[in-house]
Amino acid sequence: MKRTNFFIYLTMICAVVASVPFAEATNISSQDDSTIYESVTEAMKDKSIASTLLESNRVEKEIERNLNTFVDDLNDSDYLEDAAIKSSDGAETDEKQSLNATSVEYSNPVYIIEKEIYGVYLDFNDDNGYAVVGSNRTIYEVKTQGDLEEIREYQDLLYSIVDGFVYFDEHGVCQKLICDTQSEITYQEANEEVESSDTDYYAAIPNLGDYTCYENIDLLSEFECYRQRQTSYYLKVPCDKNGNEVSGSYKSEGNCSPTAMYHVIKSWTQSGRVSGINSFKTTDVSETIKSDSQYKTYITKRKIYSNSKDDGYHYWIENYTDKLEVMPALYVNIRNVASSKGFTPEKGFSVSKVDNVLEEVVESYGTTIKASSTSSISEALSSINKGRAVYMSVNGASLYNGESHGVALLGYRIFIYTTTSGAYDAEKNEYNYFVADGHDDEIVTINPTNCGNPTLKFVVME
């Protein structure tokens, strides 16, 4: 919404407030089966929510009148985080960020989805950052540098505490309005070392002693996870350029994506979201592997491949018989469908086709579903709240050596930290994700903040 239209819009909201009796107002939180999209639409009928738009305008004017105090209070608070600053000699030190705004050059009302209130987006002068403040006088985001000029063309702004600014696509699925700056996820390629130890896979969870856990969702407290080494038809063997084996660990296929899809559908069956699938059934592929579409390429021809991440080489062999004899039948189905759509042990699988594979595999068992891709964490968490596991793509995480990796998201935990900044409260959130990542026998906990803030994409069941 453009600022020049604000008072016109405010007049419309006032009309809604006046015409809808409070007793008949829609309560968003009571709509358990409705989507966020429907909730936002219905919110306009709620007198208490509409009134927060009026209050957000008061907050905006108050901050503009007392901007120096607002800035000083933030700089004196513990809300602004440390930032890595490079000196002239290249050394990196942590210094507290400082807000240097002297005026507001642009502002816009914004609906804060999780809080069910309106707030205001304040773009400070020049390149001095921006802030999102709720009508409840709580600061939800502050950046000390940059601005978001691209959002000025949007008439009705929606804000998620998890995602930042969002919109709803033509299917009513929440998407980030401003995508992550890291490279776009294409192929999921991560391997697992077959002979490695089980330690040091996961970045330590940061100290959250000052945070309060206010939501904890775990779909399946007991869930049998498969490693990529177990679901691989073939293993990667290190060698020299002439094909002679050299020292080093064997690695699994780049089959993180099919393995993650297996865990997702398995969770759907165990939680009763889909029926007709025995996710525990196994099948022996130790002989039928010879008719696998990729057997000739990887085994018969025994091609020598150069490694993408170093100067080494590798070739492929069949996985151990004890693994091939007990391959999950559901996984075999997933792998076959994924192979028909481009999956290879060497290259992995395109994340853009995950939704198609999930739909096709589940339909082969007699159930029709609709799967959709989303950049929104809040959409993924909403799916978890409905008992539906989510496919999660991770790109650039230090714990996966920066590779593109596919995992099954099976739960989450949210921590909140509230402090004060003068007359305002200020809120921060931290998220832990419970995932089956193909590298461990159990569900593990990861924290994006502590492993390089990777780009996350999701595939959810609508």
Side-chain angles (χ1 to χ4, degrees):
M1 178 192 310
K2 295 179 180 178
R3 189 174 184 185
T4 53
N5 294 335
F6 175 75
F7 290 106
I8 296 175
Y9 189 66
L10 193 59
T11 302
M12 294 169 59
I13 294 298
C14 290
V16 172
V17 173
S19 62
V20 179
F22 183 78
E24 298 175 6
T26 301
N27 186 344
I28 288 180
S29 61
S30 68
Q31 301 176 26
D32 294 332
D33 296 324
S34 65
T35 63
I36 298 175
Y37 176 75
E38 292 167 340
S39 297
V40 171
T41 303
E42 290 299 312
M44 294 297 294
K45 301 175 184 176
D46 190 330
K47 176 179 178 179
S48 61
I49 291 176
S51 66
T52 66
L53 181 61
L54 300 170
E55 188 60 31
S56 69
N57 182 243
R58 296 189 187 100
V59 169
E60 174 193 346
K61 299 305 180 186
E62 178 183 291
I63 293 174
E64 288 190 9
R65 285 194 306 268
N66 303 283
L67 184 60
N68 290 339
T69 301
F70 180 81
V71 170
D72 290 343
D73 288 340
L74 267 172
N75 287 333
D76 290 339
S77 74
D78 61 356
Y79 183 76
L80 297 181
E81 298 176 353
D82 291 344
I85 307 296
K86 280 190 176 182
S87 61
S88 57
D89 61 359
E92 204 171 79
T93 58
D94 285 341
E95 293 184 11
K96 185 177 179 181
Q97 298 182 74
S98 179
L99 184 62
N100 299 310
T102 57
S103 65
V104 175
E105 67 179 24
Y106 176 84
S107 64
N108 204 338
V110 56
Y111 183 76
I112 303 172
I113 295 173
E114 292 89 347
K115 301 298 181 179
E116 300 173 9
I117 60 172
Y118 277 90
V120 61
Y121 163 67
L122 301 166
D123 185 354
F124 302 123
N125 60 296
D126 302 326
D127 198 34
N128 286 318
Y130 59 89
V132 175
V133 185
S135 60
N136 57 357
R137 285 172 167 71
T138 297
I139 300 167
Y140 292 106
E141 183 177 2
V142 174
K143 297 295 182 185
T144 59
Q145 294 181 339
D147 56 22
L148 302 176
E149 289 189 5
E150 56 266 52
I151 73 171
R152 297 188 184 189
E153 62 185 88
Y154 291 89
Q155 296 296 306
D156 302 302
L157 287 179
L158 300 175
Y159 182 84
S160 165
I161 294 171
V162 186
D163 296 310
F165 291 96
V166 297
Y167 70 97
F168 292 91
D169 64 20
E170 63 273 18
H171 303 295
V173 176
C174 189
Q175 305 284 356
K176 284 187 177 182
L177 190 60
I178 301 169
C179 291
D180 299 315
T181 56
Q182 292 193 33
S183 58
E184 187 71 15
I185 299 173
T186 52
Y187 272 74
Q188 310 272 243
E189 59 189 7
N191 306 102
E192 181 200 7
E193 290 191 2
V194 174
E195 297 174 355
S196 68
S197 67
D198 296 337
T199 60
D200 299 326
Y201 272 125
Y202 308 103
I205 304 304
N207 181 8
L208 298 176
D210 294 330
Y211 287 68
T212 300
C213 180
Y214 73 92
E215 191 162 22
N216 183 52
I217 305 295
D218 188 356
L219 294 184
L220 297 164
S221 57
E222 294 189 16
F223 185 83
E224 182 185 10
C225 301
Y226 274 73
R227 294 174 180 265
Q228 288 176 238
R229 69 179 77 170
Q230 294 173 274
T231 54
S232 289
Y233 281 22
Y234 313 109
L235 298 178
K236 182 187 289 188
V237 180
C239 66
D240 61 26
K241 64 180 180 180
N242 297 316
N244 301 307
E245 184 176 348
V246 298
S247 63
S249 298
Y250 289 8
K251 291 187 177 182
S252 73
E253 300 175 350
N255 65 336
C256 58
S257 184
T259 303
M261 286 188 275
Y262 167 71
H263 287 135
V264 168
I265 297 178
K266 182 180 179 180
S267 173
W268 289 349
T269 64
Q270 290 185 228
S271 61
R273 297 300 164 179
V274 297
S275 59
I277 302 176
N278 182 354
S279 61
F280 296 97
K281 180 181 178 182
T282 62
T283 186
D284 184 351
V285 298
S286 60
E287 292 298 326
T288 57
I289 189 176
K290 293 178 174 60
S291 61
D292 177 61
S293 61
Q294 295 159 0
Y295 188 87
K296 183 177 180 180
T297 299
Y298 289 93
I299 303 301
T300 305
K301 292 183 177 181
R302 193 169 175 174
K303 179 180 175 181
I304 308 301
Y305 295 87
S306 59
N307 297 341
S308 59
K309 302 220 170 9
D310 56 46
D311 296 328
Y313 299 85
H314 63 272
Y315 61 85
W316 295 87
I317 61 171
E318 289 183 31
N319 200 349
Y320 301 113
T321 302
D322 65 329
K323 299 295 190 296
L324 296 175
E325 287 178 338
V326 289
M327 196 67 63
L330 171 60
Y331 175 81
V332 172
N333 191 356
I334 293 169
R335 192 183 192 280
N336 289 338
V337 175
S339 294
S340 72
K341 299 182 185 300
F343 165 74
T344 70
E346 181 74 24
K347 191 175 181 180
F349 189 60
S350 172
V351 66
S352 65
K353 299 178 182 178
V354 168
D355 53 352
N356 301 128
V357 174
L358 291 173
E359 290 173 352
E360 188 170 328
V361 169
V362 173
E363 187 173 359
S364 71
Y365 292 93
T367 302
T368 300
I369 65 164
K370 174 61 179 173
S372 295
S373 298
T374 176
S375 57
S376 166
I377 299 172
S378 60
E379 184 75 34
L381 301 190
S382 176
S383 185
I384 295 293
N385 291 343
K386 297 172 184 175
R388 302 169 184 168
V390 172
Y391 182 98
M392 184 166 81
S393 300
V394 185
N395 193 32
S398 57
L399 72 163
Y400 299 126
N401 298 317
E403 292 185 317
S404 179
H405 191 41
V407 304
L409 177 61
L410 301 171
Y412 66 90
R413 185 183 293 125
I414 303 178
F415 296 87
I416 184 172
Y417 173 66
T418 302
T419 186
T420 57
S421 175
Y424 294 83
D425 289 328
E427 184 175 297
K428 295 180 184 179
N429 296 276
E430 280 282 350
Y431 298 85
N432 289 345
Y433 299 121
F434 307 142
V435 303
D437 70 349
H439 289 187
D440 201 282
D441 298 321
E442 300 177 346
I443 295 174
V444 297
T445 303
I446 62 175
N447 180 285
T449 303
N450 220 41
C451 59
N453 284 312
T455 301
L456 303 177
K457 303 286 184 182
F458 307 91
V459 180
V460 301
M461 184 207 296
E462 293 184 21

